[in-house]
Amino acid sequence: MYSTNIEFFGYFAAILTTAAFLPQLIKTLKTKKADDVSLITLIMFICGVGSWIIYGYAISSFPILIANIITLMLNTFILISKIYYARKY
Amino acid sequence: MYSTNIEFFGYFAAILTTAAFLPQLIKTLKTKKADDVSLITLIMFICGVGSWIIYGYAISSFPILIANIITLMLNTFILISKIYYARKY
C-alpha cells in the first residue's frame, strides 16, 4: 500500500509536469505572442528533455520515455509558435 | 562504460531541465514583465515539481530531490515576479 502511494506520486508528478505546458501553448496560440517567454529557457529545456528521452530509452523506462516525448512535442510547438509570431507581428 | 554513459545522460538531462528556468527568471526580472508566461502552466508545473520532491524523498533519490528543489525555487521566483510585476505596472 505504501509503495502504491509512492508510485501514485510519481505518475501524478509526471502527468502534471508534462500537461503543464499545454496551457502555455494554448495561450501562445491565442495571444499570438510569446515575447516574455525566454528563448534560452525553451532551447535548454528542449535539449534537457531530449536527454531524458535518451536516458529513458537506455534504462527502458516507459514512463520517463512517454512523459518526455509529450513534453518535447509541446515545448517544440511553443518554440515554433514563439519564433513564428515574433517574425509575423 | 555503457552504464556510465547512461548515467551521464541522466545527470545532463537533470542539470539542463533544472538550469533552463534561470534564463526565464533573469529575463522576467530584467524586462519587469511575464504577461506571455502562462499562469496555469506555472501553477501546474510547481505542483508537479512538488510531487517529484515527495516522490524523490520517498524513494530516497538524491538527484530527483535536489534537481526538483532547485526547479521548484526557480519557478516559484518566476511566479512571484510575474504576479508582482503584473500588479505594479
Side-chain angles (χ1 to χ4, degrees), chain B:
Chain B
M1 187 61 191
Y2 183 55
S3 70
T4 311
N5 287 340
I6 292 170
E7 286 306 299
F8 167 79
F9 270 107
Y11 283 107
F12 184 69
I15 290 166
L16 268 182
T17 49
T18 298
F21 297 101
L22 195 60
Q24 180 65 62
L25 179 60
I26 293 168
K27 185 186 176 90
T28 304
L29 295 176
K30 268 190 184 169
T31 61
K32 297 189 191 306
K33 66 196 267 295
D35 296 341
D36 299 341
V37 178
S38 165
L39 183 69
I40 307 168
T41 290
L42 280 175
I43 292 168
M44 282 176 74
F45 195 71
I46 286 168
C47 291
V49 169
S51 301
W52 277 126
I53 292 170
I54 295 169
Y55 181 74
Y57 179 78
I59 67 162
S60 305
S61 167
F62 184 71
I64 291 180
L65 206 53
I66 193 74
N68 282 286
I69 286 171
I70 298 168
T71 306
L72 185 80
M73 285 170 64
L74 287 172
N75 277 278
T76 303
F77 287 141
I78 294 166
L79 178 66
I80 292 169
S81 307
K82 176 182 165 64
I83 294 167
Y84 176 79
Y85 291 130
R87 279 165 179 259
K88 198 173 182 188
Y89 299 101

Side-chain angles (χ1 to χ4, degrees), chain A residues 1-53:
Chain A
M1 185 63 188
Y2 181 58
S3 70
T4 311
N5 287 340
I6 292 170
E7 286 306 300
F8 167 78
F9 270 108
Y11 282 106
F12 184 70
I15 291 166
L16 267 182
T17 50
T18 297
F21 296 102
L22 196 59
Q24 180 64 62
L25 179 60
I26 293 167
K27 186 186 176 93
T28 303
L29 295 176
K30 269 190 183 168
T31 60
K32 297 189 192 304
K33 67 196 266 294
D35 296 341
D36 299 341
V37 178
S38 165
L39 182 70
I40 307 167
T41 289
L42 280 175
I43 293 168
M44 282 176 75
F45 195 71
I46 286 168
C47 291
V49 169
S51 302
W52 277 124
I53 292 171

